[in-house]
Amino acid sequence: VRRRTILQLLQKRGSIAVSDLTKRFGVSRMTIHRDLDVLVQQGLAQKRHGWVELAATRWVELAATPAPATAGSARCMMCQSEIPERTQFTLQLENGERLQACCPHCGLMMLSHRTGVQSALARDFLYGRILNALEAFYVVESRIATCCAPSVLCFHDAASAADFQRGFGGSVLNYHETIAFLKQRHNPVLAAH
Ligand SMILES: [Zn+2]
Ligand SMILES: [Zn+2]
């Protein structure tokens, strides 16, 4: 049961300090490490410097598993366009529903309008890796227009976003800045108040 709870926490937060887990469950570090070793052996988690994180393959599985609620409709929840694999954006809700968007533009708009979101997964535009959308970086208004305007592309870290920005223009923003940027674009009057 404890291992399942740890896994759920990881799916929600991406990574957790081992010390957080010992406090949360009131057990020794050794007990927690035994639990984590099982998760690591099952390929579900990785341990790193006193932290445990969800295995990258697990993010991929999470994003790739079609949600019952959206099965059969691989269309963006926001704009109804088809979902290109490269810019796919997925919200996992606490009630088990999974919502898909065509790109971070739609995905972040969807995220900012939802409550009960368990995790938000975006795909790195360069490497295709599945990322926690809240910790990712975004290049907005670059010359690479995918489906929606203004174009918003997702990157694993600020450095690769900056590399891309040097080549293709636009601005590098973090998650909060990107949400603010999109709100401003969609409703300049409301955002100003
Ligand atoms: Zn869309
Ligand atoms: Zn789009």
Side-chain angles (χ1 to χ4, degrees):
V1 175
R2 194 168 52 227
R3 281 202 299 270
R4 199 162 53 214
T5 312
I6 295 174
L7 194 59
Q8 280 165 357
L9 283 169
L10 282 176
Q11 285 172 3
K12 196 165 176 169
R13 293 168 42 180
S15 58
I16 309 170
V18 171
S19 56
D20 266 11
L21 292 173
T22 54
K23 253 181 270 163
R24 181 183 286 262
F25 296 107
V27 296
S28 71
R29 278 184 89 79
M30 228 161 84
T31 308
I32 288 295
H33 275 291
R34 267 202 301 270
D35 287 337
L36 297 182
D37 287 339
V38 175
L39 294 175
V40 170
Q41 272 163 24
Q42 292 173 340
L44 299 173
Q46 283 152 203
K47 291 205 282 188
R48 196 152 63 182
H49 309 302
W51 283 73
V52 55
E53 53 187 38
L54 194 63
T57 51
R58 197 53 201 157
W59 283 112
V60 175
E61 272 170 42
L62 265 178
T65 321
T70 55
S73 66
R75 299 242 156 209
C76 175
M77 284 292 293
M78 298 296 281
C79 70
Q80 304 302 318
S81 43
E82 276 183 48
I83 299 178
E85 197 182 308
R86 190 152 187 200
T87 56
Q88 177 191 47
F89 194 105
T90 307
L91 289 190
Q92 176 70 51
L93 302 186
E94 276 156 8
N95 66 11
E97 243 187 288
R98 183 169 297 145
L99 308 176
Q100 305 255 27
C102 58
C103 65
H105 175 122
C106 283
L108 292 172
M109 288 306 291
M110 177 166 80
L111 178 56
S112 70
H113 288 114
R114 286 273 166 178
T115 51
V117 174
Q118 190 176 61
S119 58
L121 306 178
R123 210 177 261 266
D124 183 287
F125 187 68
L126 291 178
Y127 303 107
R129 195 179 146 195
I130 304 292
L131 310 171
N132 179 349
L134 277 56
E135 288 169 3
F137 288 82
Y138 299 88
V139 173
V140 302
E141 296 185 298
S142 70
R143 288 195 296 280
I144 307 300
T146 53
C147 32
C148 304
S151 142
V152 179
L153 300 172
C154 179
F155 297 87
H156 173 258
D157 51 71
S160 56
D163 283 346
F164 184 88
Q165 184 263 338
R166 273 193 290 278
F168 300 100
S171 333
V172 177
L173 302 179
N174 68 22
Y175 159 74
H176 294 285
E177 292 162 344
T178 310
I179 294 267
F181 165 83
L182 285 170
K183 283 190 171 165
Q184 159 76 29
R185 277 313 168 87
H186 281 264
N187 204 333
V189 181
L190 266 186
H193 288 277

